[in-house]
Amino acid sequence: MIGIFDSGIGGLSVFKELSKLMPKESYVYFSDSLNCPYGPKKTDFIIDRSTKITYFLIEQGADIIVVACNTATAAAISYLRSNFDLPFVGMEPAIKPAVLHSKSGVVGVLATAGTLKGPLYLNTLAHFKGDVKVIERVGDGLVEAVEKADFDSKDVKKLLRNYIEPMLNQGADHIVLGCTHYPFLQRSIEEILDGRAEIVNPALAVAQQTLKLLKEQKAAPAKEQPFCKFYSSASFTEPIQIIIKSLTAAPCSFIDSFSI
Ligand code: DGL
């Protein structure tokens, strides 16, 4: 059983890759939509929520936990790793491949405030940045839009344009999506990029790392019929449930207003 959590539904962009790569596994997902966004919240609050959610996912039978949230990873993953005895896979903005592949020497990173000030991101940046110019931007308002299943309204496209256009004007040829909510906006982002830059999303690499850790952990693949349980501290709206069902062939159950 793979446990996944996020401040909201953003982690579903990671679930998408996980379930493509490991369709026979069962999943339990916790969306903390009641407390979303995590981005502007204090580190202690995020550690507290991540700890409670981790206990819950373990109770549900998780053998491994994917912290499908850059902000929670930045704030809490070292705490979780030192307080729980199971493997965690975290998310961080994929600055390394962006820097390595950049031809223009300019890269844009769109993420939350919490992620951009987190030690993981800052260390990776210091390690790989070299001479590359990295333009960071906090994507204010984008997480809230995705939570409302607004992926392509005029307002959300205007926000995206405000964040991304200045990166392109300075020559960015890679735009790193440093928040798991942002891949839901991929089509709107591509419209703005118009071929001028590539989108970098670490979700597939995270899924591959999860598979690697699972293989190290157990020899036999899952035997039971796979199933997926989705818990939310708020609710999974109809459009979101439709998206989720399109991501897996396994039966899905949805539990709303679940307080932890
Ligand atoms: N999906 C979360 C992340 O990757 C969203 C952050 C937030 O809740 O502000 O960082």
Side-chain angles (χ1 to χ4, degrees), residues 27-248:
Y27 295 87
V28 54
Y29 183 103
F30 191 86
S31 162
D32 200 10
S33 293
L34 191 66
N35 294 300
C36 189
Y38 279 180
K41 301 230 162 55
K42 294 230 164 68
T43 302
D44 283 353
F45 175 84
I46 300 171
I47 291 178
D48 182 56
R49 291 304 298 156
S50 302
T51 304
K52 287 178 175 141
I53 295 167
T54 296
Y55 275 121
F56 171 71
L57 295 175
I58 293 172
E59 256 169 49
Q60 296 300 304
D63 307 294
I64 186 166
I65 291 180
V66 180
V67 184
C69 176
N70 293 260
T71 312
T73 301
I77 203 152
S78 37
Y79 179 88
L80 296 174
R81 285 190 172 129
S82 49
N83 285 280
F84 289 93
D85 194 20
L86 81 170
F88 288 89
V89 184
M91 304 284 310
E92 69 174 294
I95 191 80
K96 181 181 165 190
V99 161
L100 292 179
H101 292 117
S102 176
K103 292 205 173 68
S104 65
V106 185
V107 157
V109 182
L110 197 56
T112 70
T115 297
L116 293 175
K117 64 173 199 284
L120 283 176
Y121 171 73
L122 293 174
N123 284 343
T124 310
L125 189 67
H127 211 253
F128 293 103
K129 186 175 161 300
D131 293 334
V132 170
K133 178 175 171 184
V134 177
I135 307 163
E136 296 164 354
R137 188 71 167 92
V138 174
D140 284 326
L142 298 178
V143 167
E144 290 88 339
V146 170
E147 285 292 309
K148 285 187 271 174
D150 171 7
F151 309 138
D152 54 6
S153 68
K154 253 194 184 162
D155 286 348
V156 89
K157 283 185 184 172
K158 191 173 161 203
L159 278 181
L160 284 168
R161 203 169 283 285
N162 282 343
Y163 300 149
I164 293 172
E165 209 58 70
M167 296 175 176
L168 297 173
N169 290 342
Q170 291 177 70
D173 61 358
H174 286 75
I175 307 294
V176 178
L177 303 187
C179 169
T180 54
H181 281 73
Y182 301 165
F184 281 97
L185 306 170
Q186 173 130 353
R187 258 195 245 147
S188 297
I189 296 173
E190 274 167 359
E191 211 177 288
I192 294 162
L193 297 182
D194 195 22
R196 289 177 287 173
E198 266 183 53
I199 294 174
V200 188
N201 172 9
L204 175 60
V206 166
Q208 287 163 338
Q209 172 67 5
T210 309
L211 175 60
K212 185 171 161 250
L213 290 180
L214 268 183
K215 277 189 179 155
E216 282 168 16
Q217 223 188 358
K218 60 174 185 182
K223 280 194 207 94
E224 283 174 22
Q225 273 301 99
F227 62 90
C228 301
K229 278 192 193 168
F230 294 88
Y231 289 86
S232 174
S233 52
S235 66
F236 291 105
T237 58
E238 191 69 29
I240 300 301
Q241 290 194 21
I242 292 170
I243 292 173
I244 292 174
K245 286 181 192 156
S246 75
L247 302 178
T248 175

